[in-house]
Amino acid sequence: MAFTERAASPKGDHPASGNRHGVLGSGNRGRSDSVSCVHVHDGRPVRGKAPPRPQDLSGAIMAARDKRSFCRICSGFCGVVLTVEDERITNIRADREHPGSQGYACVKGLQMAERHHGDARLLHPLKRRSDGTFQQIPLDQALDEIAGKLRDIVDRNGGDAGGLFRGSASYFQSATYQMHYAWLGAIGSSSIFSDLTIDQSAKVIAAERLGVWDAGVQGFDDADVVMVVGGNPLLSISVFNFPMFNPTKAVKEAKRRNMKFIVIDPRRTETAVQADVFLQPPPGQDAAILAAMLRLILSNGWHDRAFCERYVSQIDELIAAVQPFTLEYVEQRTGVPGGDILQATHLFAVESKRGVATTGTGPSMAPHSNVAEHLVGCLNILCGRYLREGERVPSPGILASARSFRAQVHPPARSWEASPKSRVGGFGRVGGEKLSALLADE
């Protein structure tokens, strides 16, 4: 099954703890002397009362001061308040006045002082000696040596012999992100790799096989239902189409307005505890459950017929593909009761008219990853969970280029078929990148 453009519209259109900050709230209630704070002394975090106040050479106590900042460890960018003494961070607490995170910060961000002041932080160029130890060298020397060796490699083997791998944190630095492409262009290389092809490649594959709705999916704020497959956003704060600011508070407020919550995950996560329906298959069996849900929707006519007739093709092929996945077969295969799968499907497709199914990194790192992500997309397509002409769309951000949103389809692209093939194995590119699994061989 896939989107078709034959009739596109031309117009745009831990919760039980009681902690007000959610599962991993700051815990210190804003008090700098709370015994539950994490303080940092000599680069190491310690719990309890704050370390002794630093003194200047005259013996006078130096004043501590608070500075507002934000956490860079994930895409939540939660607001924090730093207590700084003698240019060292001695305490971190959530910023209750931050309009986005509203006093939420997880334990990862609250311990970032250790990362900032820790002994393992690399502050100077280090050159490895022949015995495996490292020697500190001047920056200019390091740059000259690196440039000389890189030039030899490129001259001998061509530009693509030089490559760049970027991890998740690089996406949070706008200048660094652009420098990646500038550096590759300077050496004449197209060899870019990232964690995209390690933990979420299936999202790109599914989108380019199914097609994309230009205006995007329906949002969380007015959803009747949300289904999360293989993700724990209350802890990781990194699931698409799910609130990244103070997610525990967002879920609790949504449930108060009667939004329903479905979770499919091998583990009873902090997110699963909040679910109205929780399906717990063994790892790698998401696709079987999703196929059973699609079979129920199609056989009972629970799909959005008008949307599908106008925008969707190859539904007959999908019906044939999911036909073997009866509730009895899937229960035997996964151990998940068929009645629970039926309940989840009816809640998503019949009892609810707005809200989407979304995934974390779990399905992409499990067996049958592309199939699982593809079937999640099919759920949203069959139920028509996309923004229509005249509906409000989320802001793309004040720094992003202005664009119009249209209630229409971008057909399947399958860009890997036309992209340059890898030297090893002849594989196409995903999201314009080479596959990280081939990096060592390349």
Side-chain angles (χ1 to χ4, degrees), residues 171-415:
Y171 294 95
F172 309 147
Q173 307 292 336
S174 56
T176 303
Y177 185 84
Q178 297 303 321
M179 287 295 289
H180 296 163
Y181 294 100
W183 183 83
L184 289 168
I187 66 171
S189 174
S190 64
S191 296
I192 187 164
F193 306 83
S194 81
D195 51 5
L196 168 69
T197 57
I198 297 175
D199 64 2
Q200 300 202 61
S201 58
K203 287 181 169 59
V204 179
I205 298 296
E208 292 205 14
R209 294 199 304 197
L210 287 167
V212 176
W213 186 255
D214 183 76
V217 297
Q218 295 168 350
F220 181 93
D221 292 340
D222 61 353
D224 302 321
V225 66
V226 168
M227 186 170 83
V228 176
V229 183
N232 189 16
L234 297 197
L235 194 65
S236 65
I237 320 178
S238 61
V239 171
F240 289 106
N241 306 315
F242 203 92
M244 291 186 178
F245 279 142
N246 206 335
T248 301
K249 180 179 180 180
V251 168
K252 289 181 176 180
E253 290 179 347
K255 288 174 70 67
R256 278 195 289 269
R257 62 171 172 79
N258 206 33
M259 186 198 82
K260 301 303 181 183
F261 200 22
I262 304 167
V263 174
I264 303 176
D265 202 290
R267 175 176 167 265
R268 185 176 290 276
T269 64
E270 291 80 358
T271 302
V273 170
Q274 295 286 346
D276 297 283
V277 181
F278 173 45
L279 307 180
Q280 191 173 13
Q285 293 301 322
D286 300 322
I289 291 178
L290 294 165
M293 295 179 73
L294 289 167
R295 185 181 187 278
L296 284 168
I297 291 171
L298 291 165
S299 61
N300 288 285
W302 294 343
H303 56 296
D304 186 331
R305 291 181 182 274
F307 182 82
C308 291
E309 287 174 0
R310 186 171 185 183
Y311 297 112
V312 184
S313 64
Q314 298 177 294
I315 291 181
D316 289 341
E317 287 90 332
L318 179 62
I319 292 173
V322 301
Q323 192 60 32
F325 291 86
T326 64
L327 291 178
E328 295 75 19
Y329 167 73
V330 173
E331 179 174 344
Q332 181 182 24
R333 175 170 171 164
T334 67
V336 176
D340 291 351
I341 299 174
L342 174 60
Q343 180 187 6
T345 308
H346 195 270
L347 177 58
F348 185 85
V350 180
E351 299 174 43
S352 306
K353 300 303 179 186
R354 295 187 67 86
V356 299
T358 187
T359 63
T361 59
S364 282
M365 294 192 287
H368 318 297
S369 57
N370 290 338
V371 175
E373 194 73 42
H374 191 105
L375 297 183
V376 169
C378 288
L379 275 177
N380 290 326
I381 292 171
L382 287 178
C383 295
R385 302 299 168 84
Y386 295 91
L387 295 174
R388 311 300 173 87
E389 185 175 353
E391 291 194 76
R392 296 171 63 89
V393 297
S395 168
I398 59 173
L399 298 180
S401 300
R403 57 157 292 195
S404 60
F405 295 85
R406 298 182 180 277
Q408 63 184 37
V409 172
H410 294 292
R414 304 182 72 91
S415 62

Side-chain angles (χ1 to χ4, degrees), residues 99-224:
S101 52
Q102 306 170 60
Y104 174 92
C106 81
V107 69
K108 295 172 287 186
L110 296 177
Q111 297 189 60
M112 285 298 287
E114 180 182 12
R115 181 176 179 181
H116 187 73
H117 295 303
D119 296 336
R121 186 176 180 187
L122 186 62
L123 298 175
H124 310 282
L126 299 177
K127 181 178 181 179
R128 184 162 53 189
R129 300 186 179 100
S130 58
D131 63 359
T133 60
F134 290 90
Q135 171 191 2
Q136 182 177 327
I137 63 174
L139 177 60
D140 286 344
Q141 177 186 343
L143 293 174
D144 287 343
E145 290 189 19
I146 292 169
K149 290 183 178 180
L150 181 61
R151 172 52 59 195
D152 289 343
I153 292 171
V154 171
D155 287 346
R156 187 169 61 251
N157 302 295
D160 272 358
L164 184 148
F165 179 91
R166 60 185 176 202
S168 297
S170 66
Y171 294 95
F172 309 147
Q173 307 292 336
S174 56
T176 303
Y177 185 84
Q178 297 303 321
M179 287 295 289
H180 296 163
Y181 294 100
W183 183 83
L184 289 168
I187 66 171
S189 174
S190 64
S191 296
I192 187 164
F193 306 83
S194 81
D195 51 5
L196 168 69
T197 57
I198 297 175
D199 64 2
Q200 300 202 61
S201 58
K203 287 181 169 59
V204 179
I205 298 296
E208 292 205 14
R209 294 199 304 197
L210 287 167
V212 176
W213 186 255
D214 183 76
V217 297
Q218 295 168 350
F220 181 93
D221 292 340
D222 61 353
D224 302 321

